[in-house]
Amino acid sequence: MKLTLKIWRQRNSNDKGKLETYPVDGITTDMSFLEMIDVLNQQLIKDKKDPVAFDHDCREGICGMCSMVINGRPHGPWEGTTTCQLHMRAFKDGDTVVIEPWRAASFPVIKDLVVDRTSFDKIIQAGGYISVNTGNAVDANSLPIDKTNAEDAFDAAACIGCGACVAACPNSSGMLFLGAKVSHLALLPQGEPEREKRVLNMMKTHDDEGFGGCTNTGACEAECPKGISLTNIARLNREYMRAAIGSEEEVR
Amino acid sequence: MSWVVNFFSSSVGKKVIMSLTGLFLCLFLAVHMSGNFLLLQDDGGLAFNEYTKFMTTFPLVKVVSYITYAFIIFHIVDGIMLALNNRKARPVKYAVSKPSNSWQSRNMALLGIVIFFFLVVHLKSFWFELKFGHVPMDANQNKDLYSIVYEAFSQWWYVALYLVSLIALGLHLSHGFQSAFQSLGLNHSKYTPFIKGFGLLFSIVIPLGFAIQPIFVFLKATGRI
Amino acid sequence: MKLDAKIPEGPIAEKWSNYRSNVKLVAPNNKRRIEVIVIGSGLAGGAAAATLGELGYSVKCFCFQDSPRRAHSIAAQGGINAAKNYQNDGDSAYRLFYDTVKGGDYRSREANVYRLAQVSTNIIDQCVAQGVPFAREYGGLLANRSFGGVQVSRTFYARGQTGQQLLLGAYSALSRQIAAGKVKMYNRHEMLELVMIDGKTRGIIARNLITGEIERHGAHAVVLASGGYGNVFYLSTNAMGSNVTANMKAYRKGAFFANPCYTQIHPTCIPVSGHYQSKLTLMSESLRNDGRVWVPKSKNDLSKNPNQIPEEDRDYYLERIYPAFGNLVPRDVASRAAKYMCDKGMGVGKTGLAVYLDFSSAIERYGKAAANTQNIDNPSKKEIEKLGKEVIESKYGNLFEMYQRITDENPYDTPMKIYPAVHYTMGGLWVDYELGTTVPGLYATGECNFSDHGANRLGASALMQGLADGYFVLPVTIGSYLAGEIRTPQTDTNHPAFVEAEKSVKDNINKLLNIKGDKSVDDFHRELGLIMWNKCGMSRNAQGLQEAIKEIQALRKEFWNNVYVPGTADEFNPELEKAGRVADFLDLGELMCRDALNRNESAGGHFREEYRTPEGEAQRDDENYTYVAAWEYAGEGKEPILNKEELTFNDIELKTRSYK
């Protein structure tokens, strides 16, 4: 099938960037979306032009590297699917496909469709861990965990950190990502000792990194490829209030 | 006390202000709407004027009304801060956008602006007149606010302005009510569906109740009923 | 060169504790001044960097991805083994040790494997303490499942994404050390050269992938944790960026490359669908617990709808050839059998390179059982099917969904089509008991070392090895080297060795950019992959390997004359990154073929057609090949030198692996 691609091209973070149009031919329905971009890039290389830069790695929906807004939707039209697992069956011959990078002040564009997501790393560094040195652990079964809590913690921990929630949110808020990590650790007894400090520090970093605030539009949940639920944001709010108002921890 | 400032200036803190003031204003709307049904009583406005007098003079109600004014201002200022901050978080917009969320959830600020302008007109027409304007007395020697309301609502464009604003209010509430609970972290698999259902009902009943009043007066004034 | 594996004295069960009690230590005040570089941030690298940071060393950690959380360890699905014996089914460190050595076809080093089995239990404790959400029973205790044909339930798992959860645990520990200032993280950086001064490792040259800047980083020791090299086959289950560059740079500086030919081909992957294919997707091994593998008996049925082929016309070849293990034979055996059937012309699908993995028997079996528990008398065929599908969905729902998304076929109704694909590489840099390579101060951990898996890795053992190396082994053993470095001042990165290394890196980049030929990097990579797959893949023979060496040499020559790399050196340039990696894969490919040619036996993932039993099974030659082949770089264009580490088995008796 033939498609018309409109792709965001931007040489580097200082460049202004613009959408450019590329026709592609010979696309089959079995291809993944990224393989379709591969086809375009091979063509561009043959024509001695600069191929489109895009992030990708595992191509099996788990590393969280791929990050494209396809026709206005992060990771494209299929629900619960990363860009790498989106297949060309989702499109028809003759379609025009607009491809843009994640748009957020906290995710500056590096080149074309590649953005810098180190702000997510910084949020985790602010407290998304349990302070246990190697070798300090007690026997794994010495601490039984309620199965429901364990399952909820897992659901939250399934976040792959791709940033689709930020890309989808009209406010570029990182609350679903933050809420997922805070929930994961708050639901487990191991997370208890650092519970208040963690949420306060992570929230501060979230705000400092330039993410917007949550207005509960639900766009993040709808576009999350791993189905992370909004209840995690509610829990985050609860945890934050509990820590800020109810604990002795300093609110920075 | 810096923790208080820090708390309320965090993105969750701002949401807490938004939701607490919003929920309070919901309560206010419910009371305001119920009381105003006295407009429908066929007594030339005597009961309504009596009620108006009570609401403007009873000390406790006065205190509550000042809280209401303050909360409206908080709600607006906080909303503006949130909106500006959130705009800054996305300096470059998408060329194509196909949102999967509801229109009203994305346009709470716009709806808020519509409601704000309505509020200005509304307060100018009634509250300002009652306080500072020349209002005749009724048979019971109460200020006859009823006659002013009657006059205002007999103009079709005034009623139309109300109806448009009430639609905006309904949309604002349909997202805002349940959203307030989410912001406060009040989410529970057993109760949240009820809150959402109630929020939807609330966002229909309140504007509908308010709408009945000008429509009724308009129809009456123009001799249709 | 005589290879000294530095195996500690004493009975096998006490070697590790003896070693730990006697290893030299570095005092805390000295640790602060000692710098260690870690290349890679997966389970091995992330865990090592975090633990070294906790110990007080000054650590620099590098990864080519945009975040350490994205290393390819993340993609592991099934689980992680540990000899916890929580199920009271008789498991022990010895059993795990025994299974691993046997599964590896007796080509691994006993002492290392025993240590792996011992520390496996610490890994689970550590991960749980970090908040890794392992699957649990209703009582709140950890759940286990069985995996890969062993007789105990020792696999811990987190749904189908154990790798991601373990990696997030290591990443969180790493993040904590980054926040504490003990680890400095370099995302989107690629190591392009190892720097040696006076015969010792003193640092690396790295390229900032965003700006293209070439950076010098000094250290007292360098730890490689750069993963496996399955992408030499172009198509594999590895991530697109997985590469062998760090290993090859080390190899050229004198680190020996051990057993490069041992490659694990995973039997259950989604078949190739076209030329454009960029990667192969794994379907978890757990599917073979319930799926039955078959091909049609008659060639006339190959293009028929599989549901219309009656039971008696199907060849359930694994059950037929290996009645004892059936569909649960180890990976190497299952893969070879599938290839054998397809080579015979019995493969199905468009390309004829696929076999069926059929769940209809399981659906019927589960359906009947479910009808029974729900007290449905005389259930109809439809009811049974519905109930059975529900059970299958609860067990494998996400995998079935993924299959359908990729192939557009519904595996509940039509059997899956599967084919083997390159998955893991057992070979890697040669390391001694301390995980030290033959280059002083250079260590290798995780999949990038030649590891504990011998010639074949058992399921759920890769995660175990990566974390064992990273958390519990390397941070201890590296002390024995660093204790001798406490007087070494901080490395001067203006030393001529750094200047020269930087120049060679820049020259290499400029060379690649200035060829300006006609073929893209992917064209060469694809061609290399095809040669490797056809001649050094699931089965090999001397003639094919000799041809492959010549073909790779020719391809390498063409690459250096005709590759086209767009863009410049001082920008974000993914094609340039790929070009450097493919250049190293070309060198590795030849080395793999040489190793495969040298090993005149069939063992685990290495199957030589000339060496098989009359029934066609792999035939080891314990008399002549019970050694680790460690290849030494001899210089550009020269044949590498073979060094041997003889393997001695004192605690396990060498036997023929049989699954019949």
Side-chain angles (χ1 to χ4, degrees):
Chain A
M1 75 188 159
K2 276 187 189 175
L3 296 172
T4 305
L5 304 178
K6 292 191 172 183
I7 303 180
W8 183 261
R9 300 305 306 263
Q10 182 175 341
R11 284 205 69 80
N12 52 46
S13 50
N14 300 324
D15 186 20
K16 228 175 141 259
K18 62 174 192 292
L19 282 174
E20 288 199 24
T21 306
Y22 302 92
V24 281
D25 199 355
I27 303 302
T28 67
T29 50
D30 289 339
M31 285 183 185
S32 73
F33 194 83
L34 296 185
E35 283 164 353
M36 185 274 291
I37 306 278
D38 288 343
V39 169
L40 168 70
N41 274 348
Q42 288 303 307
Q43 191 52 53
L44 288 172
I45 292 170
K46 294 257 161 354
D47 298 343
K48 312 261 149 143
K49 286 181 185 149
D50 195 26
V52 179
F54 63 101
D55 264 333
H56 63 112
D57 199 27
C58 79
R59 295 208 180 185
E60 51 184 288
I62 194 76
C63 77
M65 194 102 170
C66 55
S67 45
M68 296 181 185
V69 175
I70 300 160
N71 284 343
R73 293 190 64 183
H75 292 307
W78 285 357
E79 265 171 44
T81 307
T82 53
T83 303
C84 63
Q85 293 218 306
L86 174 66
H87 276 65
M88 294 312 291
R89 247 170 273 125
F91 300 91
K92 293 189 309 291
D93 187 36
D95 275 359
T96 297
V97 186
V98 182
I99 310 169
E100 297 173 82
W102 286 174
R103 295 278 187 213
S106 45
F107 290 166
V109 172
I110 291 172
K111 186 178 180 182
D112 298 343
L113 303 170
V114 177
V115 297
D116 181 356
R117 283 171 286 196
T118 40
S119 47
F120 267 8
D121 285 335
K122 287 185 188 150
I123 291 178
I124 300 296
Q125 285 157 17
Y129 47 75
I130 288 165
S131 298
V132 52
N133 281 1
T134 303
N136 270 348
V138 294
D139 184 83
N141 257 354
S142 62
L143 190 64
I145 298 175
D146 177 272
K147 190 173 163 76
T148 317
N149 274 0
E151 294 285 320
D152 286 351
F154 186 98
D155 287 339
C159 167
I160 56 173
C162 64
C165 46
V166 178
C169 175
N171 315 324
S172 299
S173 174
M175 290 283 186
L176 192 65
F177 171 79
L178 173 58
K181 185 42 75 182
V182 166
S183 290
H184 163 205
L185 298 177
L187 282 162
L188 296 174
Q190 295 93 322
E192 194 61 35
E194 295 165 285
R195 191 168 163 186
E196 287 90 12
K197 199 190 269 306
R198 173 182 306 120
V199 65
L200 291 172
N201 290 344
M202 290 178 80
M203 179 66 71
K204 173 89 170 87
T205 307
H206 170 275
D207 290 357
D208 288 350
E209 286 295 314
F211 292 98
C214 173
T215 53
N216 308 324
T217 73
C220 51
E221 183 186 56
E223 299 297 355
C224 175
K226 296 294 152 186
I228 307 290
S229 152
L230 276 185
T231 54
N232 291 303
I233 299 185
R235 189 179 291 106
L236 169 71
N237 297 335
R238 209 153 63 224
E239 290 289 318
Y240 185 74
M241 281 189 279
R242 182 179 174 277
I245 300 168
S247 83
E248 303 261 351
E249 289 293 338
E250 187 197 353
V251 185
R252 290 194 300 128
Chain B
M1 284 304 275
S2 73
W3 73 269
V4 179
V5 179
N6 288 346
F7 170 67
F8 283 114
S9 53
S10 74
S11 50
V12 171
K14 287 192 201 112
K15 285 163 42 157
V16 169
I17 297 180
M18 225 42 204
S19 46
L20 288 178
T21 53
L23 285 177
F24 180 83
L25 294 176
C26 284
L27 207 62
F28 160 76
L29 284 175
V31 173
H32 191 35
M33 181 200 75
S34 320
N36 284 7
F37 266 107
L38 290 170
L39 282 171
L40 271 56
Q41 204 152 344
D42 201 12
D43 61 355
L46 289 178
F48 180 78
N49 290 338
E50 188 67 41
Y51 165 73
T52 306
K53 185 183 171 197
F54 172 77
M55 292 304 275
T56 47
T57 51
F58 190 72
L60 191 66
V61 177
K62 274 188 102 156
V63 173
V64 173
S65 68
Y66 287 124
I67 294 176
T68 310
Y69 302 143
F71 274 24
I72 290 174
I73 293 167
F74 277 150
H75 198 75
I76 292 171
V77 171
D78 194 45
I80 292 171
M81 273 161 57
L82 257 177
L84 289 180
N85 195 41
N86 289 344
R87 283 176 78 90
K88 218 170 66 194
R90 172 159 301 146
V92 184
K93 304 271 175 280
Y94 289 110
V96 179
S97 160
K98 204 169 180 186
S100 44
N101 47 7
S102 68
W103 181 89
Q104 60 268 37
S105 72
R106 274 175 283 124
N107 292 284
M108 288 299 275
L110 178 71
L111 292 166
I113 291 168
V114 173
I115 296 166
F116 175 73
F117 279 109
F118 164 75
L119 213 56
V120 172
V121 174
H122 177 71
L123 288 175
K124 164 74 186 66
S125 310
F126 307 128
W127 178 82
F128 186 82
E129 285 301 318
L130 191 67
K131 278 250 149 143
F132 307 107
H134 177 72
V135 185
M137 293 296 179
D138 71 1
N140 294 339
Q141 290 307 304
N142 287 325
K143 282 188 176 177
D144 192 5
L145 185 63
Y146 180 84
S147 64
I148 295 175
V149 173
Y150 192 87
E151 196 182 328
F153 286 170
S154 51
Q155 294 151 290
W156 69 266
W157 60 268
Y158 200 89
V159 175
L161 174 79
Y162 260 62
L163 296 184
V164 169
S165 307
L166 287 171
I167 290 172
L169 178 67
L171 288 169
H172 198 78
L173 288 174
S174 74
H175 175 69
F177 189 87
Q178 52 97 8
S179 174
F181 287 86
Q182 165 83 5
S183 289
L184 293 172
L186 299 173
N187 180 295
H188 193 282
S189 58
K190 286 179 185 155
Y191 309 121
T192 299
F194 170 76
I195 291 170
K196 285 193 171 167
F198 183 80
L200 192 65
L201 193 70
F202 189 81
S203 66
I204 296 169
V205 168
I206 294 289
L208 199 66
F210 273 123
I212 288 171
Q213 297 156 8
I215 292 173
F216 177 83
V217 173
F218 178 73
L219 294 179
K220 195 171 167 186
T222 52
R224 287 184 174 86
I225 48 170
Chain C
M1 179 172 156
K2 171 96 177 71
L3 285 168
D4 178 11
K6 298 189 188 164
I7 299 168
E9 295 300 317
I12 195 152
E14 286 160 32
K15 285 181 193 290
W16 180 232
S17 57
N18 285 349
Y19 176 90
R20 275 195 307 178
S21 306
N22 295 311
V23 68
K24 280 186 248 165
L25 298 175
V26 181
N29 57 329
N30 285 326
K31 281 191 185 129
R32 271 196 296 278
R33 290 190 292 108
I34 289 186
E35 292 179 299
V36 182
I37 283 175
V38 179
I39 306 298
S41 64
L43 290 184
T51 306
L52 290 169
E54 287 164 9
L55 289 173
Y57 294 107
S58 292
V59 183
K60 288 178 173 184
C61 183
F62 293 78
C63 71
F64 71 81
Q65 297 91 343
D66 76 330
S67 162
R69 70 177 290 154
R70 305 205 200 281
H72 196 55
S73 306
I74 206 166
Q77 297 172 354
I80 176 165
N81 288 331
K84 275 287 196 185
N85 194 28
Y86 281 160
Q87 306 307 320
N88 195 28
D89 54 4
D91 199 9
S92 65
Y94 182 84
R95 269 191 211 280
L96 176 52
F97 157 69
Y98 177 87
D99 286 342
T100 308
V101 172
K102 179 193 171 195
D105 224 352
Y106 307 94
R107 290 293 175 264
S108 39
R109 190 189 292 146
E110 273 190 342
N112 284 47
V113 180
Y114 201 93
R115 174 179 64 190
L116 174 68
Q118 283 176 312
V119 302
S120 67
T121 57
N122 303 105
I123 296 172
I124 302 303
D125 299 341
Q126 184 66 29
C127 293
V128 167
Q130 288 170 341
V132 170
F134 283 121
R136 286 177 184 269
E137 308 287 358
Y138 281 102
L141 301 177
L142 292 162
N144 288 120
R145 60 182 172 201
S146 65
F147 219 80
V150 295
Q151 290 158 309
V152 293
S153 273
R154 62 160 75 101
T155 305
F156 294 79
Y157 61 99
R159 290 190 204 157
Q161 42 174 272
T162 317
Q164 142 142 297
Q165 295 310 323
L166 294 176
L167 182 62
L168 291 182
Y171 165 70
S172 70
L174 179 63
S175 296
R176 176 170 158 245
Q177 293 308 308
I178 295 170
K182 292 310 297 175
V183 177
K184 180 142 178 46
M185 188 69 217
Y186 293 86
N187 299 343
R188 293 199 197 263
H189 275 68
E190 183 166 34
M191 167 187 157
L192 290 179
E193 191 55 287
L194 189 72
V195 184
M196 315 262 303
I197 300 176
D198 300 331
K200 283 182 171 177
T201 306
R202 285 290 176 238
I204 63 161
I205 304 292
R207 181 167 180 267
N208 177 333
L209 300 181
I210 298 177
T211 61
E213 200 178 329
I214 304 298
E215 300 170 358
R216 303 175 191 177
H217 295 276
H220 294 80
V222 172
V223 179
L224 299 186
S226 49
Y229 50 83
N231 271 348
V232 68
F233 291 89
Y234 186 69
L235 289 180
S236 77
T237 64
N238 284 6
M240 301 304 287
S242 301
N243 66 79
V244 76
T245 292
N247 268 17
M248 290 308 279
K249 302 302 178 196
Y251 168 68
R252 286 197 203 96
K253 292 282 180 184
F256 292 1
F257 208 120
N259 299 335
C261 78
Y262 289 158
T263 321
Q264 178 160 82
I265 317 275
H266 198 291
T268 51
C269 299
I270 299 177
V272 176
S273 63
H275 172 75
Y276 52 81
Q277 188 108 14
S278 60
K279 98 148 246 155
L280 297 171
T281 306
L282 179 81
M283 294 269 104
S284 170
E285 185 166 358
S286 61
L287 290 175
R288 282 197 285 145
N289 283 322
D290 283 315
R292 296 175 74 195
V293 178
W294 64 276
V295 292
K297 279 183 182 162
S298 154
K299 285 194 180 169
N300 300 331
D301 288 347
L302 290 180
S303 50
K304 254 196 200 163
N305 177 347
N307 288 331
Q308 273 150 21
I309 301 174
E311 202 60 24
E312 61 271 19
D313 292 342
R314 300 175 175 192
D315 179 10
Y316 293 94
Y317 59 88
L318 286 177
E319 296 168 26
R320 174 171 58 81
I321 309 172
Y322 307 101
F325 278 71
N327 294 298
L328 286 171
V329 291
R331 292 175 178 178
D332 53 341
V333 178
S335 294
R336 252 185 330 262
K339 177 181 158 59
Y340 178 70
M341 295 323 273
C342 293
D343 287 352
K344 259 190 12 183
M346 302 313 296
V348 297
K350 273 195 300 204
T351 55
L353 290 176
V355 297
Y356 291 122
L357 180 63
D358 196 332
F359 292 86
S360 54
S361 306
I363 288 173
E364 196 182 317
R365 181 161 41 90
Y366 286 127
K368 278 184 182 156
N372 202 10
T373 51
Q374 293 176 21
N375 290 323
I376 304 172
D377 290 333
N378 300 321
S380 68
K381 214 172 163 254
K382 246 190 163 157
E383 270 176 312
I384 292 176
E385 218 179 270
K386 185 172 162 280
L387 291 168
K389 282 179 184 172
E390 279 168 14
V391 178
I392 291 288
E393 190 183 348
S394 70
K395 292 181 88 166
Y396 310 112
N398 57 340
L399 289 170
F400 274 49
E401 207 181 280
M402 180 154 91
Y403 180 87
Q404 185 161 12
R405 209 176 286 152
I406 293 173
T407 62
D408 203 24
E409 279 180 359
N410 181 352
Y412 293 100
D413 297 331
T414 334
M416 280 186 181
K417 289 201 258 306
I418 53 156
Y419 197 67
V422 176
H423 180 55
Y424 186 90
T425 49
M426 280 73 68
L429 293 183
W430 184 88
V431 289
D432 55 25
Y433 189 76
E434 297 183 323
L435 304 181
T437 66
T438 45
V439 172
L442 179 69
Y443 289 76
T445 59
E447 192 179 348
C448 89
N449 69 25
F450 87 102
S451 92
D452 307 340
H453 307 298
N456 176 53
R457 181 176 65 77
L458 287 180
S461 282
L463 303 183
M464 170 173 70
Q465 187 227 337
L467 289 180
D469 286 1
Y471 283 132
F472 296 103
V473 180
L474 177 102
V476 176
T477 58
I478 200 171
S480 93
Y481 174 79
L482 293 174
E485 293 290 318
I486 53 174
R487 281 180 195 85
T488 310
Q490 216 178 15
T491 308
D492 173 19
T493 53
N494 291 320
H495 188 281
F498 273 94
V499 177
E500 192 197 336
E502 185 186 289
K503 185 174 178 298
S504 84
V505 166
K506 284 184 172 166
D507 288 350
N508 199 46
I509 288 173
N510 288 333
K511 197 168 156 192
L512 285 167
L513 286 168
N514 288 323
I515 297 168
K516 297 206 181 299
D518 290 324
K519 277 163 77 170
S520 72
V521 176
D522 282 7
D523 289 341
F524 285 101
H525 197 174
R526 216 178 260 122
E527 273 182 59
L528 171 67
L530 211 59
I531 298 172
M532 294 301 292
W533 180 246
N534 288 336
K535 296 181 173 167
C536 193
M538 260 187 288
S539 72
R540 298 116 186 227
N541 61 55
Q543 192 200 339
L545 289 165
Q546 276 154 352
E547 285 166 13
I549 291 171
K550 291 215 176 72
E551 288 169 33
I552 294 170
Q553 285 170 342
L555 189 65
R556 182 188 307 121
K557 205 170 158 199
E558 193 195 346
F559 175 85
W560 286 106
N561 284 306
N562 197 27
V563 74
Y564 177 70
V565 183
T568 63
D570 54 0
E571 64 174 346
F572 186 79
N573 190 344
E575 283 297 312
L576 177 62
E577 295 164 28
K578 275 198 282 184
R581 292 169 193 164
V582 170
D584 289 320
F585 277 132
L586 282 162
D587 292 353
L588 172 76
E590 185 181 334
L591 187 65
M592 286 171 73
C593 293
R594 286 189 189 282
D595 186 43
L597 188 59
N598 168 67
R599 192 163 283 278
N600 292 317
E601 64 162 351
S602 296
H606 168 67
F607 186 79
R608 279 282 296 273
E609 287 158 9
E610 306 96 311
Y611 306 100
R612 49 178 152 188
T613 61
E615 300 100 68
E617 297 297 322
Q619 189 161 41
R620 279 198 333 257
D621 178 354
D622 290 339
E623 200 165 316
N624 296 308
Y625 289 93
T626 311
Y627 66 75
V628 176
W631 297 91
E632 180 180 357
Y633 182 66
E636 196 70 57
K638 292 196 187 124
E639 280 191 24
I641 302 156
L642 174 64
N643 296 272
K644 296 177 186 175
E645 180 202 344
E646 294 295 336
L647 294 169
T648 48
F649 291 88
N650 301 317
D651 294 84
I652 286 183
E653 186 195 348
L654 271 69
K655 284 190 196 148
T656 304
R657 278 201 311 163
S658 172
Y659 296 94
K660 291 203 171 177

